[in-house]
Structures are given as structure tokens and as C-alpha cells.
Amino acid sequence: MQIKVYCDHHLQSKAAADQIAELLLWNSSALLCFATGDTPKLTYELLVERLMNEKIDISKCFFIGLDEWVAVSKDDTGSCHWFLHHYLFEPLNIPASQIHLFDANAEDLQAECRKMNDLIRYKNGIDLMLVGVGMNGHIGFNEPGTKEDGLAHVIDLDATTLSVSKKYFNGEMQASKGITLGLGQFLSAREVIMMASGSKKAPIMKMALEGETGTQVPASLVRNHRNASVVLDKEAAEGLQLISQNLFQ
Ligand code: GLP
């Protein structure tokens, strides 16, 4: 694992966008998995800009979603579905044939999980996964205590997640469950970018990067990943020992 700390959110986002673009330059048929949330918004805007400006070919790439709020409509601006279409798929004109997201309104959510697991297997694994970190250390909707080798599953959202979720939704949020890729899929992705920004993420990043490694803080498992970059702005890195080791970019 590599930890990279940037002076501000713009530089942090540019670094993440460049890392994705560089993968796409040599692997034009990559299987990509992108998180939603406030953290990667600017990364996606910068990625779209670079891919368009340099006409990087992504016509053979395939995009999958990391997670979704169960029973929330796809058109709700708080849904992961809406977010990914708005920030990535529409600006990049990605056709539906290159996208597979969880249908969190499906009657059979277990079948949705199986479909996602089968697709990832069929495509020979995830090439690049970009994740954020929840206030409780979750990755996707892998809440504290989720098993380390899990695949896609439905999960009860914990109190922290439910309370933080209000920032994404205009009205009342109905979901009490999430559907998510599992930590096993996170750990076996060929490349991982984990992002956190802002001082509100500093305590959880300190636990994740310098506390005990384990599923109580799912983000700490990034330390077991063989090819992960943790991309932080300096506020999220506040209090880390590494700050004194001069890791600023
Ligand atoms: C949400 C999502 C995650 C996201 C995380 C951080 O609940 N399920 O995929 O990465 O929490 O969100 P934010 O970037 O808004 O802090």
C-alpha cells in the first residue's frame, strides 16, 4: 500500500483522475468499479475532462457500481445510480451495454448479488476499484464487522451510515439496507484507489491506517491489499504519523 497526501482537494482529485486515466491508456478494456459520494466528485469531473481532451479510448471498458441504497428509486438524485450517470456515464456517453449497476428495486436482491458476482467472475475480476471511506470506516456498504472474504450482499445499514445518508437526499431517505460488493471483491481487485478528504475523515483514517487491521474498520483492510493507493488531502491525513515523515506530494 502506498499513501499519498496532497496539499488540497483539487491536487488530490487530479492525482486520482490521472491514475485512472493512466490505467486506461494501457488497458482499454478494463473492468472499473467506481464509488459514489462527495469525495470522488471532482475526481470524476477531472477524469471526464482528461478522457475527452486526450480522446482516450474507453469503448471496450465496462463499468460496475460499488453499492446502492435498497429500494431507493434510480431517479432519486441521492441514488448511486443517478450519481454515476450524472458524473460519469452521461458526460462520457457510455452506452448501457457497458454498464451494470445493482438494481436495488429488484424483487429478488439475492439474484442481483449473484448477477454481479457472476459478471465480475466472467470478466476475470475488477481491474480498478475507486472507493471512499464512510465515517464509520465502511467501504461501499461493508459496515464494521462485515466478513473479509464476502462477495456482493445485502446489509443492514448502521446508525452512522443512516445519519450521514441525509446529506445525499433532498427529502426523507427510506432505505434501511444497502446492496454492495463485498470486501473479498475489494481485496481481489487488481488495483485500488482509496480516497478520503476533509478533516472529518481524519479520525477514521488514523484508525484505518495506524490502528489495528480488521473488519471492525473495513477501510483498514486496504493495508492487506497488494496494489492499493490511499490518496488523501492534508486535512484527512491530519494526525497521521506519516505527516512527520514528509509524505506530502
Ligand atoms: C457512502 C457510500 C460509499 C462512499 C462513502 C463515503 O455511504 N456507500 O460508497 O464511498 O459513504 O461517502 P463520502 O465520499 O460522501 O464521504
Side-chain angles (χ1 to χ4, degrees), residues 72-211:
V72 165
S73 155
K74 289 175 182 172
D75 302 325
D76 192 313
T77 54
S79 72
C80 302
H81 189 102
W82 183 89
F83 179 104
L84 290 171
H85 276 84
H86 181 78
Y87 287 98
L88 277 171
F89 305 149
E90 281 162 20
L92 288 171
N93 287 316
I94 310 280
S97 56
Q98 282 174 254
I99 303 169
H100 181 75
L101 307 181
F102 286 115
D103 177 359
N105 287 288
E107 252 173 55
D108 187 347
L109 290 173
Q110 295 310 324
E112 276 304 299
C113 293
R114 283 194 299 274
K115 238 189 269 175
M116 186 62 93
N117 292 336
D118 290 349
L119 176 82
I120 293 171
R121 227 174 283 126
Y122 171 74
K123 292 205 170 277
N124 196 27
I126 298 170
D127 290 296
L128 176 93
M129 192 163 181
L130 183 146
V131 299
V133 178
M135 292 297 286
N136 59 1
H138 72 204
I139 295 172
F141 280 135
N142 289 277
E143 302 285 32
T146 310
K147 62 180 181 161
E148 197 169 329
D149 57 356
L151 301 181
H153 61 282
V154 177
I155 186 164
D156 289 327
L157 299 174
D158 86 1
T160 310
T161 304
L162 289 173
S163 130
V164 174
S165 72
K166 295 191 183 88
K167 71 174 175 164
Y168 306 118
F169 293 90
N170 286 329
E172 193 62 14
M173 210 277 291
Q174 303 299 339
S176 60
K177 290 178 187 293
I179 183 166
T180 181
L181 292 191
L183 292 173
Q185 284 152 328
F186 166 74
L187 287 169
S188 58
R190 278 185 275 282
E191 184 174 344
V192 154
I193 302 175
M194 174 180 280
M195 295 185 79
S197 51
S199 53
K200 64 176 188 301
K201 293 285 171 71
I204 195 65
M205 291 318 292
K206 179 146 181 82
M207 283 170 78
L209 299 175
E210 295 179 354

Side-chain angles (χ1 to χ4, degrees), residues 225-242:
H225 196 284
R226 63 205 143 102
N227 185 21
S229 311
V230 180
V231 180
L232 306 172
D233 65 5
K234 72 171 187 299
E235 283 81 15
E238 235 165 55
L240 290 182
Q241 300 284 334
L242 64 89

Side-chain angles (χ1 to χ4, degrees), residues 24 27-30 32 51 55-63 92-99 123:
L24 294 172
N27 184 356
S28 60
S29 57
L32 304 158
L51 295 179
K55 299 189 173 49
I56 296 175
D57 180 19
I58 51 166
S59 60
K60 293 191 197 72
C61 289
F62 199 90
F63 298 82
L92 288 171
N93 287 316
I94 310 280
S97 56
Q98 282 174 254
I99 303 169
K123 292 205 170 277

